[in-house]
Amino acid sequence: MGTGALGLLVSARNASLGHPPPYAARHIARQVLSRLFRRRMSRREASRWAFALRAGYGPLLGMGWGLVRMRTSKWPLLGSGVLLGLGVLAFERMAFPLFKATALASTWSRAEHVWLFAQTAVFGVVTEATMRQLVKEEPATP
């Protein structure tokens, strides 16, 4: 669900920026997979791979969060969801340069940084809200 919400946000993000940011899934797919396959990937191929990357990445993040969220499940939704979003943001800020997936973050505009924070926060809050609906906490036994 978090990945789906993020997909809806992408149109607003791109319209606001006037272009897809350097961390758009299509750009990341093109950068990383062109190196992996040792050939320049077309925009169409990159778009298809971007969908596949999102379809795998979002659920993996959700599963990882499911393993650690027991400590925050009693927190208010916004706090717990934003914490997940900040974790995703920190992971991406480390992974992008490691995998040479994007241009250096120092070259991004202020708006691109703000949108990355916003989209990871939306992902976190929607993912946590979904987990709260799917996972019913059992009362503590005395």
Side-chain angles (χ1 to χ4, degrees):
M1 294 303 292
T3 302
L6 187 56
L8 296 173
L9 189 64
V10 164
S11 296
R13 176 198 70 193
N14 292 353
S16 169
L17 293 172
H19 60 275
Y23 48 80
R26 174 175 46 118
H27 292 313
I28 290 172
R30 194 171 199 186
Q31 280 292 109
V32 174
L33 296 175
S34 288
R35 273 196 323 277
L36 184 69
F37 296 148
R38 293 191 175 119
R39 67 174 179 80
R40 184 74 174 156
M41 187 171 288
S42 73
R43 288 182 119 171
R44 176 174 275 160
E45 288 175 304
S47 292
R48 282 192 226 125
W49 277 101
F51 178 80
L53 289 174
R54 273 192 229 105
Y57 180 63
L60 283 173
L61 289 172
M63 287 188 315
W65 179 244
L67 296 173
V68 299
R69 73 176 287 275
M70 290 182 284
R71 295 185 184 265
T72 66
S73 63
K74 302 288 188 237
W75 293 11
L77 171 63
L78 192 59
S80 186
V82 169
L83 179 65
L84 169 56
L86 289 173
V88 172
L89 179 65
F91 172 76
E92 290 183 348
R93 294 297 301 251
M94 288 185 320
F96 291 163
L98 181 68
F99 293 106
K100 297 178 183 157
T102 65
L104 295 175
S106 61
T107 65
W108 302 355
S109 71
R110 179 189 243 10
E112 288 167 341
H113 284 281
V114 169
W115 272 107
L116 182 59
F117 172 80
Q119 71 185 49
T120 56
V122 166
F123 173 85
V125 170
V126 172
T127 299
E128 177 59 17
T130 302
M131 289 208 171
R132 288 179 185 216
Q133 291 299 311
L134 295 175
V135 179
K136 299 301 177 194
E137 302 295 326
E138 293 189 24
T141 54

